[in-house]
Amino acid sequence: MIKKITTYLLFVLLGFGLKLQAQKVTLFDIDNLKPVAEVFVIDHEQKHSSLSNPEGKADLTGFQKTDTLIFHHPSYTRKIVSYSEVVAANNTVYLTPSAVDLGEVMVYANKREQLATEIPSTISTIPAREISFNNPQTAADALSESGQVFVQKSQLGGGSPMIRGFSANRILIVVDGVRMNNAIFRAGNLQNIIAIDPNTVDNTEVIYGPGSVIYGSDALGGVMSFHTVKPELSFRKDSTIWKINTLLRYSTANEEKTAHVRLAGGGNKWAAVAGLTLSDYEDLRTGANRGNYPEFGTRTWFQGTYEGQDTAFANSNVNLQKSSGYSQMNLMGKLRYQPTRNIDLNLNLQYSNSSLVPRYDRLTQVSQEATDSTGVVPKYARWDYGPQEWFFGTLEADFDIQNDAWDRSRIIVGYQYFNESRIDRRFNRSTRRTRDERVNAYTVNLEFDKKINSKHSLFYGIEGVWNTVFSQAWTYDIETEEHGQTSTRYPDGGSDWANAAAYVTYNFKLNKKWTFSTGLRYTYIYMKSRFTDTTYYDFDFDEIKLTTSALNGSFLGLIYRPGEKWQLKLNTASGFRSPNVDDIAKVFDSEPGKVIVPNENLKPEFAYNADLSVSRTLRDRGIVELVGFYTYLVDAMVRRDAQLNGQDSILYDGEMSQVQMITNTGKAHIYGASFNLKANLSKKLGVIQTFTWMDGEDLVDNVPLRHVSPAFGKTSAFYKTEKLRAEFYTQYNAWRHWDDLAPEEQGKPHLYTQDGTPAWYTLNIRASYKFLDYFEANVALENILDRHYRPYSSGISAAGRNLILSIRASI
């Protein structure tokens, strides 16, 4: 009798367990098969509702078997299915992304996950889905494709973003929470961003305006934060998930050939991901339709060697930008271990290396010497950036363990290695010069998050950064094969650059309508450079030392929500940039008749910024945002005439040269506005509009600023079904007339027409089609009109008509 009762109870419990199991539904993204959180589930009579958790599971307890279920999420098209269909599909529902993603975006602007609507800063995000659909060749192209960041290029293997009138070492690049900027990031255009592989980026955030409270030095104009894919755990006990992603892509404009493979596996506690990308780019073909400037940007000749003699050859295709191609390799490996739900350990290794990268703008310069058979004598026979090598390694520990001081904490220990060089040889001269730089960068971050109560929260931390710089240089005679010496770019005895900082931010949710935030950071900076070879200068010192500090803050951040549809943000903050080795110790980088000498009194430059934004949702179908900003730059580091030991000229490398120093005498202001619109016109149609305008002036010399870009934007129309996604879009750039160019740019007439940078626009179309759950094809036709255009300040013209074909497989 007892046995029968026990058996009966087991059957009842089993049936009850099955019933409970049937009352759970799991929501997945049909494109990437990832769980979807925050999905609102409601029955057709609106009597019961549920919300999916971070694992994509929603509880259907209370729903009836006869109900029709409605699944709603702002990033996905609404799905309506019967309860019985859900059960028949093994309690699984797949959601299709909407034409335009309107979901509440989670960002890491303050180094921890928050809703973008809860942060007073202006932020734009580029998720992995958009990067995949846009098919960019480099991380710089991924930013440019967004229509919200202007990118300058001096060569094909480059990409220097400009944000709110700042560029290079005045904007900060962050990878997985660690700064990429190092002690030799210069004020001129930089191409380090292309070392980041866009095929392994899970999310990109652009934080506009100063971000120095959280991120430290260099965050004057903004922060570009790249988050690469993270190993995923399997939350099913005693099971392992495996995924493989592959990509093959070909582009006609530069005969790009890219192959990417990524393998990921995850168990209950362990997970790993490894990726490899190989890319090869031939010379870039630009557009043939030149409009009113038929000669601008033509490549009528190129340099080479014939029978051992430097020669300028006639180019049979003036639209082919000879000597611009290069190749690149990226590797990534990550390991994750989660011994408990409260502890998460991550090892992150990334490596990038390129071939020689021709400096295209220098290779198009001509000498003032007599012309040869082609009508010109090139200035350089060779000008290459050496292989750009970057190693990135971090060990991160996250603890979700509460105590009186913090609720969550994170420790990141990081190491980066940079190797870059410059190789040049003048035309018809046998001496080739090589300058080589190596940087070791060490980082330690300790971050703490504390929620005091439902209204008050703190985020605070300490950071330490230490860079070592080694510089060497040599010459080689290609005729006699003799080696020689030349001046190094930075002090040949090595340099150390370090800073230590402490910071805190405070957030106060006054009520449902008002949120207030503020923050403060103190940074101490130390630098020392040593000279051992005094052959090339006659200074009375053999080392440079600098100690200084910076105090900056996010003074007032306010968010006001007068209703469900409106939101206003006000953000006032300061940013700073500490002097680095390039600012102080680059004494050898002189122009004829001038020499820059160190200034031990150099101190940080500061930017003070105010943002005001207004946004409104459009009946759950769209959102429109208008942002205005103003930035005031003080103590800017600029080059000025100076004296050394009471003399305004000294003998330098055998020539009397004017003494100059980098000094804190610059002042400038920058102002502008941006407009953004996202809207779903129907379940299948959507539009996106971005537009940015700005202007700025050097207030000391009353001249335009170099890195203030012309007005630019992008207009897109989308069509989306379950298997097909298509976009027709146009990108455009306003005029920058010659009189509005900065003096530095007017000194580069080979980059511009006689009237400046002409306005341009392109018409483009692209589409992706999902043949199977694991197989997708992408096709794009860019610059359909084959227009010739050159983005402002760029040394190479953009691609002409370009057909892009790619296939992706995900298993």
Side-chain angles (χ1 to χ4, degrees):
M1 183 70 177
I2 296 176
K3 184 177 180 180
K4 288 183 179 181
I5 295 174
T6 304
T7 303
Y8 175 77
L9 289 174
L10 285 173
F11 274 110
V12 170
L13 291 173
L14 181 60
F16 182 69
L18 290 173
K19 184 178 179 181
L20 286 178
Q21 182 66 24
Q23 290 174 335
K24 293 280 188 180
V25 60
T26 306
L27 292 309
F28 290 101
D29 184 310
I30 197 170
D31 285 349
N32 55 33
L33 304 182
K34 290 184 177 181
V36 183
E38 305 293 327
V39 178
F40 184 64
V41 187
I42 191 170
D43 67 282
H44 64 290
E45 294 183 355
Q46 300 185 6
K47 291 182 177 180
H48 302 91
S49 64
S50 182
L51 195 68
S52 63
N53 63 19
E55 296 178 13
K57 296 184 181 297
D59 190 354
L60 298 184
T61 303
F63 289 84
Q64 303 299 314
K65 292 182 179 180
T66 56
D67 280 340
T68 297
L69 306 182
I70 303 171
F71 298 87
H72 178 76
H73 190 286
S75 299
Y76 297 84
T77 58
R78 182 175 298 183
K79 188 151 190 171
I80 302 175
V81 295
S82 66
Y83 191 107
S84 59
E85 288 176 311
V86 172
V87 175
N90 198 25
N91 301 312
T92 301
V93 172
Y94 294 93
L95 300 179
T96 302
S98 56
V100 175
D101 188 350
L102 302 175
E104 289 189 301
V105 180
M106 302 299 293
V107 297
Y108 293 83
N110 292 327
K111 288 192 176 182
R112 63 201 192 278
E113 192 175 46
Q114 292 177 278
L115 282 170
T117 53
E118 295 179 352
I119 299 173
S121 302
T122 302
I123 302 170
S124 64
T125 62
I126 313 171
R129 179 186 290 116
E130 294 304 314
I131 296 175
S132 173
F133 180 65
N134 292 343
N135 252 332
Q137 292 186 348
T138 68
D141 294 332
L143 293 174
S144 179
E145 288 283 351
S146 72
Q148 299 185 73
V149 178
F150 189 91
V151 175
Q152 177 273 356
K153 289 189 178 184
S154 297
Q155 63 277 337
L156 180 60
S160 185
M162 298 182 182
I163 301 177
R164 291 192 173 182
F166 295 95
S167 184
N169 59 15
R170 287 180 169 91
I171 55 177
L172 186 65
I173 305 172
V174 176
V175 180
D176 292 330
V178 176
R179 57 183 291 126
M180 177 187 274
N181 294 40
N182 62 46
I184 63 171
F185 267 38
R186 60 188 182 277
N189 298 306
L190 290 169
Q191 65 277 352
N192 296 73
I193 197 171
I194 70 168
I196 303 168
D197 184 3
N199 299 292
T200 59
V201 172
D202 188 54
N203 183 52
T204 301
E205 298 166 10
V206 181
I207 307 160
Y208 299 91
S212 290
V213 170
I214 298 296
Y215 292 100
S217 177
D218 305 351
L220 294 180
V223 179
M224 298 167 291
S225 183
F226 296 86
H227 305 276
T228 58
V229 293
K230 190 174 182 179
E232 295 183 16
L233 297 169
S234 170
F235 293 100
R236 300 172 184 174
K237 191 175 182 181
D238 301 325
S239 68
T240 302
I241 55 172
W242 293 97
K243 292 182 180 179
I244 183 169
N245 294 275
T246 60
L247 163 69
L248 293 174
R249 183 174 62 230
Y250 175 77
S251 303
T252 60
N254 56 4
E255 296 186 35
E256 177 212 6
K257 297 167 283 292
T258 291
H260 168 74
V261 61
R262 187 167 76 245
L263 177 65
N268 193 35
K269 293 185 177 182
W270 290 90
V273 61
L276 168 67
T277 302
L278 300 173
S279 297
D280 180 72
Y281 311 100
E282 301 296 333
D283 295 334
L284 179 66
R285 186 189 65 80
T286 188
N289 180 8
R290 284 182 165 77
N292 296 327
Y293 301 92
E295 303 300 322
F296 177 56
T298 57
R299 181 70 151 140
T300 58
W301 56 270
F302 63 95
Q303 53 273 86
T305 304
Y306 179 71
E307 295 184 349
Q309 181 67 38
D310 288 341
T311 306
F313 297 98
N315 188 9
S316 59
N317 182 357
V318 298
N319 299 318
L320 187 63
Q321 300 176 105
K322 297 284 288 185
S323 305
S324 59
Y326 77 106
S327 60
Q328 184 165 318
M329 176 188 71
N330 287 83
L331 286 167
M332 182 189 70
K334 291 188 174 184
L335 185 63
R336 181 182 182 185
Y337 176 53
Q338 192 177 74
T340 71
R341 286 279 185 173
N342 299 325
I343 301 175
D344 197 357
L345 307 176
N346 288 271
L347 175 65
N348 182 355
L349 303 175
Q350 299 180 45
Y351 177 77
S352 173
N353 198 9
S354 72
S355 65
L356 292 172
V357 180
R359 176 76 186 263
Y360 184 79
D361 62 337
R362 296 290 178 90
L363 293 176
T364 60
Q365 290 182 280
V366 297
S367 175
Q368 300 300 320
E369 300 173 15
T371 61
D372 66 0
S373 59
T374 63
V376 297
V377 171
K379 187 174 183 178
Y380 292 97
R382 178 180 179 183
W383 212 116
D384 293 318
Y385 284 112
Q388 180 175 291
E389 187 178 11
W390 175 59
F391 172 79
F392 174 92
T394 63
L395 184 60
E396 176 184 337
D398 293 271
F399 302 96
D400 193 2
I401 302 173
Q402 298 182 9
N403 56 40
D404 292 339
W406 60 78
D407 298 330
R408 291 187 299 271
S409 59
R410 179 169 72 159
I411 302 173
I412 302 179
V413 179
Y415 167 74
Q416 295 177 76
Y417 171 77
F418 302 83
N419 180 208
E420 61 182 49
S421 57
R422 294 160 177 80
I423 307 166
D424 66 82
R425 182 173 66 83
R426 292 277 185 156
F427 196 77
N428 283 332
R429 296 185 188 178
S430 61
T431 302
R432 184 179 70 212
R433 179 176 58 178
T434 300
R435 286 189 168 113
D436 183 82
E437 276 70 54
R438 300 167 189 265
V439 180
N440 295 289
Y442 307 87
T443 304
V444 177
N445 282 301
L446 283 77
E447 301 161 0
F448 307 93
D449 206 331
K450 179 62 179 179
K451 186 174 182 180
I452 301 172
N453 53 41
S454 61
K455 292 188 175 183
H456 304 272
S457 61
L458 287 175
F459 179 74
Y460 58 98
I462 56 176
E463 178 184 55
V465 177
W466 176 39
N467 286 190
T468 62
V469 180
F470 301 95
S471 188
Q472 55 184 339
W474 62 90
T475 61
Y476 176 74
D477 194 303
I478 62 173
E479 294 178 354
T480 65
E481 298 184 352
E482 292 182 354
H483 292 270
Q485 292 183 328
T486 188
S487 59
T488 56
R489 184 173 175 86
Y490 303 108
D492 59 328
S495 300
D496 295 285
W497 182 88
N499 74 55
Y503 55 91
V504 60
T505 64
Y506 164 68
N507 187 269
F508 175 31
K509 293 183 178 180
L510 289 80
N511 49 48
K512 291 182 179 181
K513 292 186 176 182
W514 290 93
T515 300
F516 165 81
S517 64
T518 188
L520 196 66
R521 181 188 186 101
Y522 175 78
T523 305
Y524 174 81
I525 303 104
Y526 168 82
M527 196 204 85
K528 181 178 181 180
S529 294
R530 296 164 291 276
F531 302 92
T532 57
D533 187 349
T534 60
T535 304
Y536 303 98
Y537 56 88
D538 188 24
F539 302 145
D540 59 354
F541 52 82
D542 56 12
E543 68 177 26
I544 308 167
K545 286 185 179 180
L546 172 73
T547 57
T548 186
S549 61
L551 181 67
N552 73 285
S554 176
F555 307 116
L556 175 64
L558 279 178
I559 302 174
Y560 175 56
R561 309 173 189 86
E564 293 182 0
K565 295 182 179 181
W566 288 92
Q567 181 168 265
L568 285 78
K569 291 183 178 182
L570 172 66
N571 188 43
T572 60
S574 68
F576 75 97
R577 186 174 75 86
S578 303
N580 64 14
V581 174
D582 189 88
D583 297 313
I584 298 179
K586 197 169 60 174
V587 297
F588 308 121
D589 190 24
S590 64
E591 53 188 271
K594 295 182 180 179
V595 59
I596 306 170
V597 299
N599 178 8
E600 292 185 294
N601 297 316
L602 203 59
K603 57 186 180 181
E605 57 184 354
F606 287 85
Y608 298 92
N609 181 81
D611 275 42
L612 179 62
S613 68
V614 181
S615 62
R616 188 185 192 279
T617 57
L618 308 172
R619 296 183 179 179
D620 295 327
R621 290 196 169 210
I623 184 169
V624 60
E625 179 186 46
L626 180 63
V627 181
F629 65 90
Y630 178 85
T631 303
Y632 181 58
L633 183 66
V634 297
D635 291 332
M637 291 181 247
V638 294
R639 185 188 301 184
R640 293 286 185 265
D641 291 342
Q643 291 186 344
L644 180 66
N645 299 326
Q647 296 181 331
D648 59 9
S649 297
I650 62 172
L651 188 65
Y652 175 78
D653 201 12
E655 179 181 359
M656 285 301 294
S657 301
Q658 168 69 52
V659 174
Q660 292 189 326
M661 285 183 179
I662 303 296
T663 63
N664 296 103
T665 57
K667 293 182 180 180
H669 68 167
I670 304 164
Y671 48 89
S674 63
F675 173 81
N676 300 290
L677 168 69
K678 292 183 177 181
N680 283 305
L681 305 180
S682 68
K683 290 183 178 180
K684 295 182 178 181
L685 293 175
V687 294
I688 294 179
Q689 171 67 62
T690 67
F691 183 77
T692 302
W693 168 86
M694 69 185 76
D695 200 358
E697 184 182 20
D698 184 318
L699 297 175
V700 176
D701 297 326
N702 297 317
V703 295
L705 295 174
R706 176 184 179 187
H707 292 128
V708 174
S709 60
F712 66 96
K714 179 181 178 182
T715 303
S716 298
F718 292 89
Y719 177 77
K720 183 78 168 66
T721 66
E722 187 170 318
K723 293 182 177 292
L724 173 70
R725 184 182 184 187
E727 177 189 14
F728 176 77
Y729 66 99
T730 176
Q731 285 190 269
Y732 35 87
N733 193 140
W735 260 97
R736 177 56 56 84
H737 293 283
W738 183 264
D739 292 340
D740 296 325
L741 291 174
E744 302 99 314
E745 296 304 299
Q746 290 180 343
K748 308 170 187 174
H750 60 292
L751 303 186
Y752 300 95
T753 71
Q754 65 270 25
D755 299 319
T757 295
W760 56 264
Y761 72 91
T762 61
L763 300 180
N764 318 270
I765 189 170
R766 58 182 161 223
S768 65
Y769 188 81
K770 206 173 186 70
F771 291 94
L772 302 168
D773 289 341
Y774 54 85
F775 184 78
E776 182 180 52
N778 294 67
V779 61
L781 186 60
E782 298 178 337
N783 196 0
I784 297 172
L785 302 179
D786 201 30
R787 297 177 64 93
H788 172 268
Y789 67 99
R790 179 173 288 190
Y792 164 72
S793 189
S794 292
I796 189 170
S797 298
R801 187 179 294 117
N802 187 24
L803 177 65
I804 304 173
L805 302 171
S806 71
I807 54 173
R808 296 176 184 270
S810 178
I811 304 173

